[in-house]
Amino acid sequence: MSLTMDTPLSRVVGPKTAKVMAEQLALHTVRDLLRHYPRRYARRGEMTRLGDLEVGDRVTVLAQVKKVSSRPMRQRRGILTEVTVGDGAGSMRLVFFNSKHAHLAVGEWGLFAGTVGKWHGDLQFTHPDCHVITGDDDDWARALVPIYPASKDVSSWVIQKSVKLLMDDPRSLAEALDDPIPEPVRDRHGLVALATALLYKHRPESAAQVEFADERLKWDEALVLQATLAARRRAAALEPGIARPRRSGGLLDAVDAALPFSLTGGQRDVGEELAAELSEEQPMNRLLQGEVGSGKTVVALRAMAQVVDAGGQAALLAPTEVLAAQHARSLAAILGPLGRAGELDGDPAGTRVVLLTGSQKAAARREARAAVADGSAGIVVGTHALLQEDVEFADLGLVVVDEQHRFGVEQRDALRAKGARPPHVLVMTATPIPRTVAMTVYGDLETSTLRQLPAGRGGVSSAVVPAGEKPAWLDRAWQRVREEVAAGRQAYVVCPRIGDVEGGSGKDEDGPDDADAPPPETGGSSDRRPPLAVLDVAEALRAGPLSSLRVEVLHGRMAPEDKEARMRAFAAGEVDVLVATTVVEVGVDVPNATVMVVMDADRFGVSQLHQLRGRVARGQHAGLCLLVTEAPTSSATGQRLTAVAATTDGFELARLDLETRREGDVLGAAQSGRRSGVRLLSLLDDEQLIAEARVEATRLVEAGRGLADHPELAAAVAALSLDERAEYLEKA
Ligand code: ADP
Ligand code: MG
């Protein structure tokens, strides 16, 4: 059988197994199966570790059946079978009730996977999964037996057998495999060939072989990713944009004159950096990261003004309607008459700021679109609606994407494609990005950082309120809210859900316009009570602890004009307490709000909490953020919240966030398509490797004919981008 990476699995394992593998594990081709790596390895001698295990741990042991005995049960009808298994070093008991597994015979070797339990002081498995290793199977002789991620109908053993089919003749395997890592690169970094690595990974003879395999296979992932990004950079460099040099006496000078504060050192430095890059033909491609409240908007506005002065247009893409409207409002406020050129009281030397969102009335939208198309609107602020095909720019010179973590690469590209020549791009995020992530997910962006907060900020302190353990603390929290309001301040209460929707909780989250995907830890167990809801909590607060205050709600199901009006009322101080979903998460700027109470804080991700907290550290008054949870303080969740409360260092939090999320989530869904091809690579631990791969990838892509000189690597890059594209099409 001649195989390639793209051979369908049905030709290897037969149509029936192939079908379930495709359905349940998304394994379709030889490549998929070979890249379906063991999660870990069962070892002979594992039982010596049993003493370290705790009740509830799930383990797989490789052992021999020592004794089998069956007897009728005393309390119930039926047969109880006890099996003792051992591996020479230790032994344990397996228990089966009325089970067909009575067929286990003394002397047989097998793999037994189960959850450790205890019975009269002895460790035991109740109803473990059993896989007897039969005579024609030489696997029992191995020191390490691979344990694969399995599914209901495709067990680890089936996968092991299927992989073995592929590996039976290592030489034909070596021929079937195109190694994406060029030999000189392998030599430089001491990496084994792909066929060897796969053999070591799937059928190791020692732990050292697994290590060799891992190192090499991580390189695959890092190199393919970095080559993809390097190719993108190279393509971008080949297509010049338009230089937008600074001009004095224009909008930028007017903005600087109108600012009610002086820029921080960081704002000035980054401003210079942007001004210089905008003056070049080579399109700027920059990520601006800065703590919540560090003043990124002004930096963006000044860049936009420079582009407008040079005759171009600037678009600001915001993740929510609330935020887009707020940006448009505050830009218009700073610009004054300069932002109303063409209107009666406008300054003809200025430009127009227009807002373009999906919920606008048809007439307003048409008018905005026309102003964008004829170039009279120099600054265009909007949501996803900006990406629509019917939005055409006269001369798009700069794209600013606010709060990047809400947008995928594709959306950034869609907007970029609206310029006749590639526009300059500035991406802003408050979620600090560890260096590895910046190199990987954001690998095609240069990075600037605003480290300093504007002077005179009160800062924010945080505390966890364990409402389950100490209900009195929650009363105290509401008392704090009353005190702040009495002192003239305002408060947010944030809940994970809107509530009050027909048909239960299914569709009850805020739409993509408002809410991030829920953090992974919210998935799963359905026996938890539903998350607290805005409408219920507001009701309870009005009737109870906050009955003397003006309490209003804000969420994604409200009509856009109502949201806008509510936000305006809150900003104007006409509302004391705003009970909201994560619509307030990004960028909302009400400096007089000083307390935030996050209900069911455990339902939010680390960076989401950090973002939320940023809403109450925006003025000169000290802010307070209370994370209310029913999770026990000692639980992992409780610890996570305590850690969030203990630091406001964004970089530390980003690390914590990475630790608590699966890495695939960081690299994947949110940023560049779910199937980012990363399985083994760790953004936390493999910083060095990623940096080296970046150097090699850049070298390969920029020398000679680039990827064309490395067809194997090019194919791997294409496979990755194809996956991404498929993902994108699915979403559309
Ligand atoms: P973020 O970086 O989170 O987007 P913003 O741009 O919304 O922060 O700025 C937060 C607040 O700080 C705004 O009210 C803004 O007007 C104010 N601000 C920005 N720069 C300065 C500065 N240099 N001095 C004082 N206040 C500033
Ligand atoms: Mg902002």
Side-chain angles (χ1 to χ4, degrees):
M1 176 166 49
S2 82
L3 294 179
T4 72
M5 283 299 234
D6 295 311
T7 303
L9 281 178
S10 55
R11 284 192 38 210
V12 181
V13 300
K16 236 175 83 197
T17 307
K19 186 158 176 280
V20 275
M21 280 187 168
E23 282 170 5
Q24 297 181 3
L25 295 169
L27 304 177
H28 305 279
T29 62
V30 166
R31 174 185 287 106
D32 295 340
L33 183 57
L34 289 175
R35 299 282 184 186
H36 190 71
Y37 302 134
R39 189 188 0 246
R40 54 193 192 79
Y41 301 88
R43 294 158 194 271
R44 249 198 294 184
E46 191 81 329
M47 286 186 177
T48 52
R49 280 186 50 235
L50 285 181
D52 306 335
L53 294 175
E54 290 182 28
V55 170
D57 285 348
R58 202 174 155 78
V59 290
T60 305
V61 298
L62 176 61
Q64 194 177 27
V65 178
K66 301 288 188 194
K67 199 174 125 197
V68 180
S69 68
S70 296
R71 58 180 165 79
M73 279 182 278
R74 279 185 220 120
Q75 319 280 6
R76 292 190 264 159
R77 273 161 37 116
I79 304 287
L80 175 81
T81 305
E82 283 189 359
V83 178
T84 307
V85 299
D87 66 351
S91 67
M92 78 180 296
R93 185 168 54 177
L94 317 179
V95 181
F96 303 92
F97 300 104
N98 292 327
S99 166
K100 55 184 178 351
H101 282 292
H103 71 229
L104 285 172
V106 171
E108 279 179 331
W109 280 85
L111 282 164
F112 307 97
T115 306
V116 179
K118 223 172 205 171
W119 177 252
H120 290 316
D122 290 332
L123 294 180
Q124 72 171 27
F125 283 165
T126 305
H127 279 263
D129 294 335
C130 305
H131 170 64
V132 175
I133 294 162
T134 50
D136 62 344
D137 195 337
D138 65 353
D139 283 329
W140 68 273
R142 297 182 167 272
L144 298 168
V145 176
I147 306 295
Y148 290 92
S151 68
K152 189 164 123 309
D153 301 315
V154 189
S155 69
S156 177
W157 343 116
V158 168
I159 297 169
Q160 185 185 338
K161 277 223 167 71
S162 308
V163 171
K164 195 176 160 207
L165 286 175
L166 289 175
M167 301 234 156
D168 261 347
D169 180 354
R171 253 182 330 182
S172 74
L173 178 73
E175 277 158 25
L177 294 181
D178 299 322
D179 196 329
I181 306 188
E183 208 170 330
V185 177
R186 292 205 309 262
D187 289 347
R188 260 198 294 281
H189 300 277
L191 304 174
V192 298
L194 180 58
T196 312
L198 290 172
L199 197 63
Y200 284 180
K201 186 71 180 164
H202 289 290
R203 305 179 65 73
E205 279 161 9
S206 66
Q209 286 190 346
V210 178
E211 269 176 43
F212 273 120
D214 280 345
E215 177 77 4
R216 148 72 214 217
L217 296 172
K218 282 178 181 180
W219 257 90
D220 267 1
E221 297 174 0
L223 191 71
V224 169
L225 247 148
Q226 292 300 337
T228 307
L229 297 168
R232 204 185 284 209
R233 277 198 300 274
R234 185 175 182 187
L238 290 177
E239 206 184 345
I242 300 175
R244 313 282 181 177
R246 249 190 107 144
R247 176 168 70 75
S248 56
L251 198 58
L252 177 54
D253 286 351
V255 166
D256 281 342
L259 285 181
F261 44 71
S262 52
L263 297 175
T264 64
Q267 285 171 323
R268 215 168 299 133
D269 293 346
V270 174
E272 289 303 316
E273 206 165 28
L274 301 188
E277 286 185 16
L278 292 173
S279 308
E280 300 288 328
E281 246 188 21
Q282 157 111 2
M284 175 177 86
N285 228 350
R286 194 161 273 279
L287 174 70
L288 171 58
Q289 37 180 328
E291 276 296 329
V292 198
S294 58
K296 296 182 292 292
T297 317
V298 167
V299 174
L301 172 59
R302 295 183 69 246
M304 293 195 281
Q306 173 171 337
V307 169
V308 171
D309 282 339
Q313 291 168 291
L316 173 56
L317 182 61
T320 67
E321 301 226 337
V322 167
L323 191 55
Q326 178 188 287
H327 274 315
R329 210 163 47 230
S330 61
L331 294 182
I334 294 179
L335 292 173
L338 282 162
R340 295 193 294 270
E343 289 176 41
L344 271 183
D345 64 342
D347 183 337
T351 187
R352 276 181 70 192
V353 179
V354 304
L355 178 66
L356 220 161
T357 64
S359 64
Q360 269 170 332
K361 299 245 155 55
R365 216 178 119 75
R366 208 175 312 120
E367 197 196 336
R369 256 189 0 235
V372 176
D374 70 18
S376 60
I379 295 180
V380 187
V381 184
T383 53
H384 288 89
L386 276 182
L387 306 175
Q388 235 106 72
E389 256 174 46
D390 59 1
V391 178
E392 283 170 23
F393 288 80
D395 178 15
L396 181 59
L398 170 65
V399 172
V400 180
V401 184
D402 195 17
E403 308 296 353
Q404 155 76 3
H405 64 292
R406 301 293 191 102
F407 291 102
V409 174
E410 303 92 356
Q411 283 151 325
R412 198 168 79 210
D413 288 348
L415 194 46
R416 189 168 17 203
K418 289 191 179 290
R421 307 254 292 271
H424 300 277
V425 175
L426 175 65
V427 173
M428 306 197 289
T429 177
T431 311
I433 294 163
R435 207 169 81 86
T436 42
V437 180
M439 280 192 294
T440 323
V441 179
Y442 297 91
D444 52 349
L445 295 175
E446 311 290 332
T447 309
S448 307
T449 307
L450 283 179
R451 296 195 184 278
Q452 194 181 12
L453 292 186
R457 289 286 163 79
V460 58
S461 52
S462 317
V464 179
V465 178
E469 294 165 5
K470 304 203 164 81
W473 288 26
L474 188 57
D475 299 337
R476 172 80 188 115
W478 300 128
Q479 187 188 332
R480 287 288 292 128
V481 170
R482 290 194 302 269
E483 287 166 9
E484 286 292 314
V485 172
R489 308 280 96 79
Q490 290 160 279
Y492 297 101
V493 176
V494 178
C495 306
R497 206 161 59 93
I498 302 172
D500 194 16
V501 86
E502 276 177 44
S505 62
K507 283 256 172 260
D508 193 23
E509 274 147 23
D510 261 6
D513 186 49
D514 294 320
D516 232 336
E521 58 267 46
T522 62
S525 59
S526 51
D527 51 350
R528 292 169 76 186
R529 69 155 168 73
L532 289 172
V534 166
L535 299 177
D536 304 339
V537 168
E539 186 77 31
L541 290 177
R542 282 191 194 114
L546 304 185
S547 58
S548 57
L549 309 185
R550 294 168 297 177
V551 176
E552 296 291 350
V553 301
L554 181 74
H555 57 74
R557 275 213 315 272
M558 289 164 62
E561 28 327 338
D562 295 345
K563 264 195 283 189
E564 171 78 25
R566 197 49 60 74
M567 209 48 230
R568 233 186 247 274
F570 187 64
E574 292 155 13
V575 171
D576 298 318
V577 178
L578 195 62
V579 185
T581 53
T582 51
V583 283
V584 300
E585 179 191 334
V586 280
V588 168
D589 189 23
V590 177
N592 193 49
T594 51
V595 198
M596 171 168 290
V597 183
V598 184
M599 306 304 289
D600 279 344
D602 47 288
R603 308 271 182 157
F604 298 93
V606 170
S607 48
Q608 237 179 342
L609 290 172
H610 185 52
Q611 283 278 330
L612 282 168
R613 175 164 65 183
R615 302 309 110 215
V616 289
R618 308 186 72 80
Q620 77 271 32
H621 310 288
L624 175 66
C625 177
L626 299 172
L627 307 174
V628 180
T629 178
E630 283 177 7
T633 319
S634 60
S635 66
T637 307
Q639 295 290 307
R640 181 167 60 90
L641 292 178
T642 306
V644 171
T647 179
T648 52
D649 179 338
F651 283 87
E652 200 172 310
L653 287 166
R655 230 187 135 73
L656 187 66
D657 196 26
L658 261 188
E659 276 164 17
T660 51
R661 293 153 55 147
R662 281 183 304 115
E663 314 237 333
D665 296 336
V666 178
L667 275 175
Q671 298 299 344
S672 55
R674 189 163 44 81
R675 303 188 56 186
S676 51
V678 171
R679 293 177 177 81
L680 298 173
L681 197 64
S682 158
L683 295 180
L684 277 176
D685 303 331
D686 297 320
E687 189 171 326
Q688 178 70 23
L689 191 157
I690 293 172
E692 287 172 17
R694 180 180 168 88
V695 171
E696 292 288 2
T698 309
R699 197 186 299 180
L700 291 172
V701 167
E702 294 193 343
R705 294 183 301 144
L707 282 182
D709 289 334
H710 306 281
E712 293 83 6
L713 181 57
V717 166
L720 177 71
S721 328
L722 267 179
D723 279 347
E724 278 186 6
R725 229 169 293 149
E727 188 75 12
Y728 183 47
L729 288 178
E730 266 166 39
K731 266 187 292 185

